[in-house]
Amino acid sequence: MSVVPCYRYLTEAEVRFLNAAVERLIPSDESGAGAKEANVAYFIDQQLAGSWGVHGRCYRQGPWREGKPQQGYQSRLTPQEIYREAIREIDQHCTGRHGKVFAHLGADLQDEIIRELEAGTFEFQSIPSSLFFELLIRNTQEGFFSDPMYGGNKDKVGWRLIGFPGVPASNYDDHIDERNIPYRVEPVSILDIKNGSVELDSQGYPKHVLLKS
Amino acid sequence: MALIKQKNVDVVVVGCGVSGSILCMELAAAGLRVVNLERGRMIDGMREFSSPHAFDEFKYERHSDIFQNLSRETVTFRNSSSDAALPMREMGSFKLGEVVGGTALHWGTHSRRFLPWDFESLSKTIERYGPDALPQDCSMQDWGITYEELEPYYDQFEHLYGVGGKAGNLNGEIRPGGNPFEGARSREYPNPPAPMTYAGSIFAEATRKFGYTPHVNPVASMTESYVNPYRLMLGKCMRGGFCSSHGCANGAKANPLTAVMPVLSKHKNYELRPLCNVIRINLDSSGKCATGVNYIDARGREVEQPADLVILASYTFNNTRLLLLSGIGKPYDPIANTGVIGKNYSYQTGGKVTLFFEDKVFNPFMGGGARGVSIDDFNGDNFDHSGLGFVGGAYVAVSSSGAPPIKNTPVPPGTPGWGLEWKRAVSKYYNRNFSIRVTGGCQSHRGNYLDLDPTYKDANGLPLLRMTFDWTENERRMSSWISEKALDIAREIGASKLSASPTRGHYSIVPYQSTHNVGGVIMGADSMTSAVNKYLQSWDVSNLFVVGGSAFPQNSANPPTNTIGALACWVADAIKDQYLRRPGPLV
């Protein structure tokens, strides 16, 4: 069952930005799909539209001071606001310098801008320099590796890339004495189980299907 | 707001975690009428931690509501008293619990006892190395209790929580396969040790070449199905690998929900009130006797619960904060070096060496609890510290705890943090790496402490707790020196690439390290330098006991849960056998 990405928070222009950016962070290559094809932008949208997007379970009383890096997130802006503001400023910068928004730049120029974000040399007006990059890389990896029920990791591409089996089978103890033998199976997600596309054992755990090497 | 006044009970216990659940059970069974106030919600572990939803890394790594809702209450943090403390707005370095069962619902189940040295580390250090060996401004103290006194209670707790392991010192006799450095134990573990993992066996073999003594990590994720002394059945761990941060879908992880609550919640003398947040301990006009507590209930009403005996059994932070909010005991002042409440806040250091291989695969997603192998040759004072310039040590371990991929995708040093090169490294090494962890103790220091924040408030308008904490040179030297030993072992194993990250620089509240926060209401033999006596009874208010990691005068390298559980069992006996017969100061 495929999920049709219907964005709840991000605008179409922001989706274009994110699709381009996450493709640079985790690109597609012969080893498999990257973050764009994994629907990471959609995952980020779902997170931004939910309670995390407004830092619902985070402490949000002032006074707001930037503090030291080891004191963590201190922006008075929520993740929703940071994505919106950062993407606007980056696109404005790209248009001013290169005549095009970030999504329409070549890969080399995109990488250069991401490196500036990472190094903290890209100067935003409203947010600390590396805060957006830290959120973006964290959310991209979350979206690439979390259960597909959250909208990213489409077709479990993140799990296939590394050989993570997802929901465990109940018979791992049968493999306990195996030394240096990779356990490669068709990964199983919570979404697969809820879709009824995986056979379960009597305890309710999935039966893993071994992959031929 | 109108105050609702409840009827007086024998005991009110604040918090339903490891300590609170045991104390409630033991005191209710002794015939006392017990009310247990828990700020978190009720939880049905069987329903909530079932397959497949228990296997959701993203939820339990980042967003689960078994963790504290920081929008209502958090701590503020700074490295030193010359900085401005700022609130921990997002969960980071530690994962506080807010639920019936507490932080133990998501513990990793590594079940080491503290070393005999840990309880007398100050006097043993002076005895062996002289007073000059103590780091400057180190405020480490003896506990006022010895390992030998606590041993029967470690035994009680291990049997309650079904710990699997192999005795290394059985009544003074050193046994092969166990940890020869452990204190003498009176009985074998209630469950057998977990089987060796591939990574663990490689590590064990390499450590033997150096003459070290590897042993299987003791764990409280059941190595066999188990019936505990409360007649509760715990299922066998099937190594599904979603352990720390998660609830267990198999009920194989011992915690208050699996090991105590099913019996306790049916006890006629026991009443649990979830979603009730205690805001103050009440004192009589003498200031020496507690009359009960006030709390805000789920509907926002302030309620007074009178009780003959008050037991604080919540997390380190909350135990300390409630005493400060209630004006009990003298707050610690780091400048004058006076007072005790908030003193000696401590943590643990967590260095590691990661080994990357070209030709070995480990299936790291198959794991359970902290299954694996450790050496204790560099823990506590198990080695000669002469000339090393630090006190304390670390246990060095390889654990197979599962490897969900959001947080378990290490790459070799020099790999970029993103892009194709990163992707290829993650793809190649996810199954071809393991880490040797150097988990170290943390000696207490005059400048590391807890007090009330002057600026930031919780949702009730009460001051947040302020943490002032940084690593000291002692921890950095210790972590660096022992990491070198771990690197030697790693080189002997023969990995193709290595990365080492000992504890260095400033403590940061951002990356997850451990939920092993201790101190603030420390125990001791002297009322001038400790907040509670050896029975965890307040020196100032004799019908108040303060139980939990808050009592540790400094932190051992070993995980705290077993010692917290053993202390709860010890306090329960002290109350039953001594306090109830003759209420008043036990020391």
Side-chain angles (χ1 to χ4, degrees):
Chain A
M1 189 177 79
S2 64
V3 181
V4 180
C6 227
Y7 290 84
R8 292 196 286 157
Y9 178 75
L10 297 169
T11 65
E12 286 184 23
E14 288 164 342
V15 171
R16 283 194 291 276
F17 172 93
L18 280 182
N19 272 329
V22 303
E23 169 65 17
R24 299 317 304 151
L25 296 178
I26 309 180
S28 297
D29 69 342
E30 67 288 346
S31 71
K36 179 184 174 186
E37 289 168 66
N39 276 352
V40 164
Y42 178 62
F43 166 89
I44 292 173
D45 175 76
Q46 298 297 295
Q47 289 305 308
L48 290 175
S51 65
W52 181 78
V54 291
H55 262 175
R57 293 177 60 81
C58 295
Y59 187 79
R60 291 205 47 78
Q61 293 181 42
W64 301 89
R65 301 194 180 103
E66 285 194 356
K68 296 185 171 173
Q70 54 268 32
Q71 291 175 301
Y73 195 107
Q74 296 295 339
S75 172
R76 61 180 282 272
L77 303 183
T78 62
Q80 279 187 352
E81 293 163 330
I82 285 173
Y83 269 88
R84 180 135 295 161
E85 188 58 24
I87 293 172
R88 187 187 65 74
E89 287 195 36
I90 295 168
D91 270 346
Q92 196 173 40
H93 166 90
C94 293
T95 310
R97 190 185 289 180
H98 307 291
K100 293 175 190 168
V101 295
F102 179 87
H104 295 151
L105 299 178
D108 288 349
L109 268 179
Q110 288 174 339
D111 282 354
E112 198 175 295
I113 289 162
I114 293 175
R115 276 193 292 271
E116 284 176 34
L117 294 171
E118 183 180 23
T121 52
F122 188 101
E123 300 234 345
F124 289 100
Q125 284 167 5
S126 49
I127 55 176
S129 53
S130 57
L131 180 60
F132 175 65
F133 177 81
E134 285 161 16
L135 276 184
L136 180 64
I137 188 104
R138 162 181 150 184
N139 292 154
T140 301
Q141 292 179 5
E142 287 171 349
F144 195 64
F145 288 126
S146 61
D147 196 281
M149 67 192 263
Y150 290 102
N153 194 8
K154 188 185 174 196
D155 297 329
K156 301 165 280 188
V157 291
W159 295 355
R160 287 178 207 284
L161 177 74
I162 61 175
F164 178 65
V167 178
S170 62
N171 66 337
Y172 278 0
D173 264 349
D174 298 347
H175 301 272
I176 196 156
D177 290 325
E178 291 174 3
R179 297 287 189 261
N180 207 12
I181 299 170
Y183 178 84
R184 296 302 295 247
V185 298
E186 173 67 25
V188 175
S189 66
I190 295 171
L191 186 64
D192 291 334
I193 292 175
K194 292 294 157 186
N195 284 343
S197 61
V198 178
E199 201 184 341
L200 302 180
D201 67 16
S202 59
Q203 300 177 66
Y205 290 90
K207 293 182 177 176
H208 281 171
V209 177
L210 290 167
L211 296 175
K212 294 179 187 85
S213 49
Chain B
M1 193 179 348
L3 182 72
I4 299 168
K5 189 160 179 174
Q6 296 274 2
K7 279 201 295 193
N8 188 73
V9 292
D10 296 324
V11 192
V12 62
V13 176
V14 180
C16 185
V18 169
S19 300
S21 58
I22 290 172
L23 281 154
C24 289
M25 183 68 207
E26 293 293 318
L27 298 180
L32 298 181
R33 169 100 179 92
V34 181
V35 163
N36 190 190
L37 302 170
E38 164 57 51
R39 68 180 178 172
R41 66 183 169 92
M42 195 58 200
I43 183 169
D44 180 341
M46 296 285 277
R47 283 160 63 154
E48 200 159 318
F49 302 138
S50 59
S51 179
H53 288 284
F55 303 111
D56 180 348
E57 183 193 14
F58 182 56
K59 174 177 176 181
Y60 289 101
E61 184 52 32
R62 307 277 194 229
H63 298 303
S64 170
D65 69 351
I66 66 173
F67 307 129
Q68 183 169 321
N69 186 340
L70 301 183
S71 74
R72 288 196 287 259
E73 186 190 326
T74 185
V75 295
T76 67
F77 160 68
R78 57 184 178 173
N79 280 133
S80 87
S81 50
S82 57
D83 297 338
L86 295 177
M88 178 178 80
R89 297 186 179 277
E90 271 195 304
M91 204 73 88
S93 170
F94 37 84
K95 282 185 172 153
L96 307 170
E98 186 176 356
V99 65
V100 170
T103 302
L105 295 197
H106 67 270
W107 75 306
T109 78
H110 196 168
S111 301
R112 309 176 83 84
R113 296 179 177 192
F114 283 7
L115 299 166
W117 177 83
D118 286 319
F119 297 96
E120 301 169 277
S121 51
L122 175 64
S123 49
K124 295 282 184 197
T125 298
I126 293 171
E127 186 183 305
R128 186 168 175 185
Y129 306 104
D132 292 346
L134 296 175
Q136 195 182 3
D137 288 331
C138 177
S139 51
M140 64 195 286
Q141 291 182 195
D142 291 350
W143 291 49
I145 188 176
T146 62
Y147 171 82
E148 288 71 27
E149 286 176 285
L150 202 53
E151 198 287 330
Y153 300 94
Y154 271 126
D155 180 78
Q156 182 184 346
F157 181 73
E158 283 168 355
H159 282 73
L160 185 58
Y161 269 41
V163 178
K166 175 87 181 80
N169 181 343
L170 197 57
N171 294 308
E173 184 194 330
I174 302 301
R175 314 272 285 206
N179 176 8
F181 295 101
E182 71 175 355
R185 56 175 62 246
S186 51
R187 273 197 286 179
E188 188 44 279
Y189 284 98
N191 262 322
M196 223 28 139
T197 59
Y198 179 42
S201 63
I202 290 174
F203 172 72
E205 194 185 312
T207 63
R208 280 192 200 95
K209 291 184 184 160
F210 291 90
Y212 306 146
T213 42
H215 54 273
V216 172
N217 295 340
V219 289
S221 37
M222 298 306 106
T223 53
E224 293 292 343
S225 62
Y226 180 71
V227 178
N228 79 2
Y230 294 157
R231 311 297 302 160
L232 289 169
M233 170 92 167
L234 289 90
K236 184 181 175 184
C237 168
M238 51 155 233
R239 302 197 306 142
F242 290 74
C243 299
S244 188
S245 297
H246 289 256
C248 179
N250 258 32
K253 190 195 278 198
N255 61 39
L257 286 191
T258 55
V260 183
M261 292 312 287
V263 172
L264 175 59
S265 58
K266 292 188 200 122
H267 202 289
K268 64 178 175 23
N269 292 340
Y270 176 73
E271 185 192 345
L272 172 65
R273 293 186 202 143
L275 298 173
C276 290
N277 191 18
V278 175
I279 55 168
R280 188 172 65 249
I281 302 148
N282 300 314
L283 300 176
D284 73 0
S285 56
S286 74
K288 293 185 182 327
C289 180
T291 57
V293 300
N294 275 27
Y295 63 89
I296 308 287
D297 76 2
R299 291 165 66 182
R301 301 173 298 195
E302 186 165 348
V303 181
E304 180 183 350
Q305 176 60 63
D308 295 337
L309 182 61
V310 176
I311 300 177
L312 284 190
S314 60
Y315 199 71
T316 288
F317 295 135
N318 208 41
N319 280 354
T320 306
R321 182 169 177 253
L322 277 173
L323 292 181
L324 292 169
L325 289 175
S326 309
I328 297 173
K330 190 175 176 190
Y332 173 64
D333 176 347
I335 311 284
N337 204 12
T338 56
V340 287
I341 308 299
K343 181 181 168 178
N344 282 19
Y345 168 72
S346 189
Y347 199 43
Q348 272 174 346
T349 60
K352 69 176 175 182
V353 172
T354 304
L355 295 78
F356 299 91
F357 298 85
E358 307 303 311
D359 58 348
K360 291 185 174 66
V361 294
F362 301 99
N363 300 325
F365 38 82
M366 293 182 184
R371 284 173 182 225
V373 178
S374 302
I375 57 168
D376 242 359
D377 300 75
F378 300 107
N379 201 347
D381 197 32
N382 296 341
F383 57 107
D384 187 355
H385 286 68
S386 301
L388 296 179
F390 64 84
V391 175
Y395 72 89
V396 180
V398 167
S399 294
S400 302
S401 314
I406 294 173
K407 67 167 178 184
N408 292 286
T409 45
V411 289
T415 310
W418 50 278
L420 261 189
E421 213 181 315
W422 176 84
K423 186 187 180 196
R424 286 172 184 153
V426 165
S427 168
K428 178 169 183 184
Y429 290 109
Y430 170 73
N431 203 3
R432 293 185 179 86
N433 84 85
F434 67 83
S435 288
I436 301 175
R437 292 190 174 272
V438 178
T439 305
C442 186
Q443 303 314 317
S444 42
H445 186 267
R446 187 166 164 178
N448 289 338
Y449 67 103
L450 305 171
D451 67 352
L452 292 177
D453 192 277
T455 306
Y456 292 96
K457 306 275 192 279
D458 73 3
N460 295 318
L462 298 171
L464 295 181
L465 192 70
R466 175 169 68 177
M467 174 202 299
T468 304
F469 180 77
D470 205 352
W471 305 124
T472 71
E473 205 47 38
N474 187 71
E475 279 62 57
R476 297 185 191 112
R477 281 185 197 158
M478 181 271 291
S479 186
S480 160
W481 192 82
I482 301 175
S483 291
E484 285 300 322
K485 303 292 174 190
L487 270 169
D488 289 341
I489 297 167
R491 290 187 195 103
E492 173 64 32
I493 290 168
S496 69
K497 298 182 182 74
L498 292 173
S499 71
S501 45
T503 295
R504 55 164 83 100
H506 293 292
Y507 166 72
S508 166
I509 207 161
V510 180
Y512 183 78
Q513 291 153 68
S514 75
T515 312
H516 298 172
N517 317 77
V518 302
V521 193
I522 64 175
M523 62 193 293
D526 179 352
S527 64
M528 292 303 288
T529 56
S530 58
V532 291
N533 66 26
K534 69 191 287 190
Y535 301 106
L536 307 195
Q537 180 184 37
S538 163
W539 289 110
D540 301 285
V541 178
S542 65
N543 66 336
L544 170 66
F545 289 76
V546 187
V547 190
S550 54
F552 296 7
Q554 56 273 332
N555 214 350
S556 164
N558 291 350
T561 305
N562 278 48
T563 303
I564 291 170
L567 283 173
C569 295
W570 155 262
V571 172
D573 264 14
I575 292 172
K576 286 189 291 184
D577 298 343
Q578 300 181 58
Y579 181 84
L580 292 177
R581 287 181 193 157
R582 209 162 57 87
L586 296 177
V587 176

